[in-house]
Amino acid sequence: MKKLMAANWKMYKTWDEARATAQELVDLAASKLPEDREVLIFPPFTAIRAVSDAFADADGFSVGGQDYYIKEEGAFTGEIAPRMLLDAGAEFGLTGHSERRHVLGENDEYIGEKTAYGLTSGLKVVFCIGEKIEERKAGKVEEVLEHQLRVGLKDVPRDINPENISVAYEPVWAIGTGEVAGVDEILEAHAFTRKILISIFGEKGNDIRILYGGSVKPANCGEIIALDNVDGVLVGGASLQSESFSQIVLA
Ligand code: PGA
């Protein structure tokens, strides 16, 4: 299984800025990208085409949309349909990110509906889970992760091609804080996630990639990516500069 080195650019970068960063990333990393790695960027909607153009000739580099709505088209002001993401050159969609859960108020049921809808619409989906600090302090990590996984993946077909769905474990307290989860915390959460994926999908659960996200940097990526059940990373802040993200991609 290829490791998925993913960047979440959140609400940063105009068209020109995105195009320049994507091109620099190709120049820095494309010729050195190991066979067993894939690179993925989630730019803002307005820059998806800029990044997909920059990646046109770069093998193993793809683009995704940070969100989408659960309809094909219609009177849904401000929303974007999966087929519009595909049309702009995106192959992936992102669901369940903690900022959509906790800032924009999306609940587990809606995230589950969105995850299944994206897959049936032809997107590959990166589905995020993760506990808040108070949930960790209360000893509820496994309870929270299991609930998010079971509800979020409820309508995903059991015969899914495991390459089309990935889970990103992103402890909320480690996102954008500079506080990376410890090795033991990552190992435990990823092993538990693997166990639940197997209980949902059977043997296929072994082939679903589990990414870690939360303050991944060039300095810690090498150690994290080598851990058991870590099949990639999802990077926010440190993905915005081509220099640091290329070091992460090649770590
Ligand atoms: P961070 O963000 O790398 O800035 O912590 C990760 C994310 O939000 O996916």
Side-chain angles (χ1 to χ4, degrees):
M1 144 185 3
K2 292 191 180 190
K3 302 240 188 220
L4 184 57
M5 315 304 280
N8 174 10
W9 282 356
K10 310 190 180 187
M11 202 173 74
Y12 293 98
K13 293 191 188 291
T14 60
W15 172 286
D16 284 341
E17 290 161 355
R19 167 99 204 182
T21 307
Q23 190 55 57
E24 287 159 19
L25 184 66
V26 169
D27 295 343
L28 288 166
S31 64
K32 300 184 205 141
L33 188 69
E35 271 290 292
D36 65 345
R37 296 225 172 156
E38 270 184 68
V39 177
L40 166 62
I41 292 191
F42 291 103
F45 295 138
T46 46
I48 289 176
R49 172 62 72 194
V51 177
S52 64
D53 284 353
F55 285 177
D57 298 322
D59 272 355
F61 284 62
S62 16
V63 190
Q66 294 173 21
D67 191 27
Y68 52 86
Y69 194 53
I70 52 171
K71 293 280 191 256
E72 199 183 329
E73 60 183 8
F76 304 105
T77 301
E79 296 296 336
I80 293 280
R83 65 191 201 96
M84 295 167 181
L85 297 181
L86 293 161
D87 181 54
E91 280 176 62
F92 285 79
L94 187 66
T95 62
H97 190 275
S98 74
E99 286 145 23
R100 298 226 54 97
R101 289 176 187 273
H102 305 303
V103 183
L104 284 309
E106 292 187 10
N107 64 32
D108 289 313
E109 285 70 24
Y110 179 60
I111 292 162
E113 209 178 330
K114 199 193 289 194
T115 301
Y117 186 76
L119 291 165
T120 32
S121 306
L123 289 171
K124 299 177 183 174
V125 175
V126 177
F127 160 60
C128 308
I129 58 171
E131 82 286 357
K132 296 196 261 190
I133 192 64
E134 56 272 26
E135 292 166 333
R136 175 164 284 273
K137 284 188 176 149
K140 290 189 173 160
V141 176
E142 295 195 348
E143 189 186 315
V144 170
L145 298 186
E146 178 161 7
H147 182 78
Q148 291 178 345
L149 283 162
R150 291 202 185 276
V151 179
L153 297 170
K154 186 166 67 68
D155 296 323
V156 173
R158 296 314 183 235
D159 62 351
I160 178 118
N161 176 349
E163 283 177 13
N164 292 349
I165 177 93
S166 307
V167 174
Y169 169 62
E170 299 203 302
V172 179
W173 46 273
I175 295 181
T177 58
E179 191 180 343
V180 67
V183 163
D184 288 341
E185 289 163 330
I186 300 175
L187 282 170
E188 276 166 25
H190 281 236
F192 180 75
T193 300
R194 178 72 67 209
K195 190 175 95 180
I196 302 298
L197 289 175
I198 291 169
S199 99
I200 299 174
F201 294 102
E203 276 303 302
K204 267 181 205 286
N206 280 313
D207 299 326
I208 293 176
R209 288 182 283 199
I210 307 175
L211 280 49
Y212 170 77
S215 298
V216 174
K217 305 263 178 302
N220 59 28
C221 185
E223 182 181 32
I224 293 170
I225 198 75
L227 296 174
D228 267 2
N229 288 310
V230 176
D231 310 308
V233 286
L234 180 56
V235 188
S239 74
L240 292 168
Q241 281 82 39
S242 54
E243 193 53 48
S244 64
F245 192 53
S246 65
Q247 288 173 36
I248 288 172
V249 161
L250 302 173

